[in-house]
Amino acid sequence: MNILILGSGGREHAFTLKLSESKKVNQIFVAPGNAGTDKIATNININPTDFAAVKQTVLENDIKMVVVGPEAPLVAGVHDFFLADNDLKYIPVIGPKKDGATLEGSKDFSKQFMQKYGVPTARYQSFTKENLTEGFTFLGTLAPPYVLKADGLAAGKGVLILNSLEEAKAELKEMVSNQKFGEASSTVVIEEFLKGIELSVFVLTDGKNYKILPSAKDYKRIGEGDTGLNTGGMGAISPVPFADDAFLNKVEELVVKPTIEGLQKDGIDYKGFIFIGLMNDNGNPSVVEYNVRMGDPETEVVLPRIESDLFDLFDGVANQNLDKKSFSVTSKTATTVMLVAGGYPEVYQKGKEISGFETIENSIAFHAGTTIKDDKVVTNGGRVMAVTSFGETIEEALEKSYKSIDKIHFDKMNYRKDIGFDLI
Ligand code: AMP
Ligand code: GLY
């Protein structure tokens, strides 16, 4: 079978590599892909939210399954587009329809959903410019730090965590009255600050049955010791020592089951990944957010740990018989360290030649923001490459990643040297 993967990051390179190992997968196309996917699949230079171009790609290349990497095409309704089209409606899409994608597309919706189905999460209220004064009052009932979230998608920038009440009030006004994050912040969720340590839990569901995939910890801040600006993610580790069986059982009972049941009760037929970002506060899970896709860079440690055929799980999603499928996971630890362009997550340059990655032996270099220019691999984004390694321990895996990174070069390359610092 031929498969189309939508997206262009390290996550999509990891999907491509894993699916290329399946005997049941013939050709893989990636749209638009990167220099890494170009080596092992066929890149198609289209925008994943250009559905007419996606349709043409599917029909021209005899594609029989579509795997959606990022949230944007899902929130824009790519799955609904397929179901409404006579030529495409029998082609399975791994990724929810628009209704399910609202779990990520609207924080207000996802908070209401959690409250309705008893999923543990921070106390919250939502505000618009119409009830701004009530927003100020609600802020006054909370203890600092104050958490303000733009309701809609804001390219990962829509969450503000503020220490002073005055600042929180000013930012709330900026968000709802002056559209600080555009239309995305015309509604703002204000919620209690959650203490604890964060974990990413990944669930794959066919709408009825589900599988819990390996969980991971992501390092979101640009600076060592978790300081500085938020990024898309600077590194990840799987498994996570504190996410032991007892904790993951709690997550399954208190979060995963009510989520899957809630989707069914709401009449949302959900086929795809649910990425649950949660806080572990003294052994108790509390959900920070849902995403409707895999995490990046978490995918670069989660998928390499899966030893069995990933396509088989996707086939189970497509045919709604995921309960008949099984998968195996290595007990080894996987770590990934993200190489980023100097200046990221603020201003940075593209087009820098990358060298040395072909010679690394004990790691996998997943390409993220890379492209090919004049036969050379050059940087094409803020997050450039994720270097993944295995070890019996976190330390052993990290040592391999950092040794491999010593061989890779591009102008103004930056990375965190302390991934896993809080787990070791
Ligand atoms: P989000 O875009 O919802 O993932 O939020 C970005 C980051 O802000 C999360 O990964 C958390 O680190 C942090 N965050 C969000 N909500 C809360 C909260 N209620 N309490 C503490 N930290 C939070
Ligand atoms: N690494 C976090 C995310 O993918 O949203």
Side-chain angles (χ1 to χ4, degrees), residues 343-357:
Y344 172 83
E346 295 183 282
V347 182
Y348 60 85
Q349 291 178 334
K350 296 182 184 177
K352 307 287 184 191
E353 186 177 346
I354 311 166
S355 64
F357 62 90

Side-chain angles (χ1 to χ4, degrees), residues 183-300:
E183 187 48 35
S185 67
S186 51
T187 299
V188 169
V189 167
I190 302 179
E191 68 178 24
E192 255 174 348
F193 183 81
L194 295 166
K195 294 191 303 298
I197 180 159
E198 251 178 296
L199 180 72
S200 304
V201 174
F202 300 99
V203 179
L204 182 65
T205 178
D206 62 9
K208 223 167 58 188
N209 313 289
Y210 65 85
K211 299 279 186 217
I212 300 180
L213 304 178
S215 44
K217 185 166 193 304
D218 174 23
Y219 292 80
K220 287 203 171 84
R221 304 293 197 94
I222 186 71
E224 273 146 29
D226 283 342
T227 54
L229 293 174
N230 253 324
T231 70
M234 296 293 290
I237 291 188
S238 175
V240 183
F242 70 76
D244 54 13
D245 286 348
F247 183 72
L248 289 174
N249 280 338
K250 268 194 197 172
V251 172
E252 178 164 13
E253 293 304 319
L254 300 176
V255 178
V256 177
K257 283 185 181 169
T259 299
I260 300 290
E261 283 164 18
L263 287 168
Q264 287 169 358
K265 285 180 191 153
D266 273 5
I268 296 175
D269 178 29
Y270 194 111
K271 292 186 195 313
F273 292 101
I274 307 175
F275 159 1
I276 302 164
L278 55 81
M279 210 63 94
N280 171 353
D281 181 12
N282 281 319
N284 295 310
S286 185
V287 175
V288 174
E289 64 170 351
Y290 291 114
N291 295 300
V292 298
R293 53 177 172 83
M294 284 296 289
D296 193 349
E298 290 97 323
T299 306
E300 290 94 301

Side-chain angles (χ1 to χ4, degrees), residues 366-411:
F366 289 112
H367 290 233
T370 71
T371 190
I372 298 166
K373 201 173 155 204
D374 303 330
D375 290 331
K376 294 193 171 93
V377 175
V378 300
T379 66
N380 192 39
R383 294 195 297 167
V384 173
M385 226 172 239
V387 182
T388 297
S389 316
F390 283 109
E392 295 302 331
T393 60
I394 296 178
E395 290 92 329
E396 189 188 321
L398 281 170
E399 197 182 316
K400 286 187 197 163
S401 284
Y402 286 119
K403 272 202 176 134
S404 297
I405 288 170
D406 282 341
K407 298 187 177 164
I408 305 176
H409 297 281
F410 56 87
D411 186 32

Side-chain angles (χ1 to χ4, degrees), residues 62-100:
D62 196 26
I63 306 284
K64 290 287 186 274
M65 177 182 280
V66 178
V67 178
V68 187
E71 64 279 11
L74 295 168
V75 174
V78 68
H79 196 156
D80 312 68
F81 174 84
F82 270 64
L83 290 172
D85 187 296
N86 279 331
D87 295 328
L88 303 177
K89 66 181 172 199
Y90 299 111
I91 297 172
V93 176
I94 307 301
K97 289 179 285 172
K98 225 173 173 167
D99 55 2

